[in-house]
Amino acid sequence: MEKKEEILAAAARLFAEKGYRRTSLRQVAQAAGVSASAVSYYFGGKAGLYRALYPEAPDGADVRERIERAGLSLFAEEGYERVSIRDIAAAAEVNSAAISYYFGGKAALYRKILYRGTEMITEFVDIVSGKHPAPEEILRLYGAFLCRLGEERPEVLRVIFRELLAGTDVFHDFVRERLTLVTDILHRAVADGVAAGRLRSGLSPEGTSRVWAGMVLFFFLSRSLAADGLAKGSAKEYLAEAWRIFTAGVLAEGAERSGT
């Protein structure tokens, strides 16, 4: 076997066993019985070595997309802990090392999926920051964005449901980094609404926000039970009805109800 082929064989074995990120050029060189400079000479570095082994796509975009789709589907169905790198690789029809190469591992892939899946949260924050709507309108907008998430990205919502039942450390990081801002906006909206006399006095910002989010999310949680009549009709219809019920309990007397 020629030196170049020995390097490729050693790299393929190490990438499969340890993953791309945990495999060094020195380890590949030792396994192939050559110097590290020989690996660099033939392949230019670890990335070049990987591409020589697995030329799935010219720029890797197709591979990354397949991995993200497969990861999201499996995480939504099985949960983070029960899904392995090998499961994702098999579903995406790529080698296991590709996940480490493109994302840095399972935790990084999971975080990437959560961020990409909830990008519309940024849109909600931008609207509130730019237009400064009335306190109750902020709550209504949040409900609308949750509905969009459930309609457009149901698997992301299923992942979030799973995390609410048994959160992973990865999700806790995600909550701290992205959702804390949304929570602060909702709590401040309730407090401002009470202070302005638009919401009933004595309302808890935390409890009121949680009740509204729960009312909206229940529609999507109960969709699997639609045959029993718990989630009939469209999300838009449900949101309008939920908003009428919610505002009947929280709006101060005489305050005008925002539309849907």
Side-chain angles (χ1 to χ4, degrees), residues 43-186:
F43 301 99
K46 190 168 70 167
L49 178 57
Y50 179 88
R51 286 193 294 270
L53 278 168
Y54 310 113
E56 286 114 334
D59 61 359
D62 178 61
V63 177
R64 285 193 293 270
E65 185 178 339
R66 295 209 310 269
I67 292 171
E68 285 193 44
R69 283 201 308 266
L72 173 57
S73 179
L74 287 170
F75 289 143
E77 186 68 27
E78 301 291 341
Y80 177 79
E81 300 293 348
R82 295 180 61 186
V83 175
S84 69
I85 290 290
R86 291 184 182 277
D87 293 333
I88 299 169
E93 298 183 336
V94 300
N95 62 84
S96 297
I99 297 168
S100 177
Y101 176 76
Y102 287 112
F103 296 96
K106 188 175 81 165
L109 171 62
Y110 192 63
R111 189 176 294 109
K112 178 73 172 181
I113 287 171
L114 285 172
Y115 266 77
R116 188 182 297 279
T118 56
E119 284 174 349
M120 61 183 62
I121 289 175
T122 302
E123 184 181 342
F124 166 73
V125 173
D126 289 344
I127 289 176
V128 172
S129 301
K131 296 185 177 180
H132 305 290
E136 67 273 17
E137 178 64 9
I138 292 175
L139 293 171
R140 190 196 67 79
L141 282 171
Y142 181 63
F145 276 101
L146 287 180
C147 268
R148 276 187 56 196
L149 182 61
E151 289 284 271
E152 298 174 15
R153 302 175 185 180
E155 288 181 317
V156 172
L157 204 57
R158 287 170 63 191
V159 169
I160 293 175
F161 283 145
R162 283 185 171 276
E163 289 289 352
L164 292 175
L165 294 174
T168 63
D169 290 339
V170 178
F171 188 77
H172 291 163
D173 290 341
F174 168 78
V175 170
R176 284 193 293 269
E177 292 174 5
R178 175 164 264 189
L179 297 187
T180 297
L181 178 59
V182 174
T183 300
D184 290 344
I185 289 173
L186 296 176

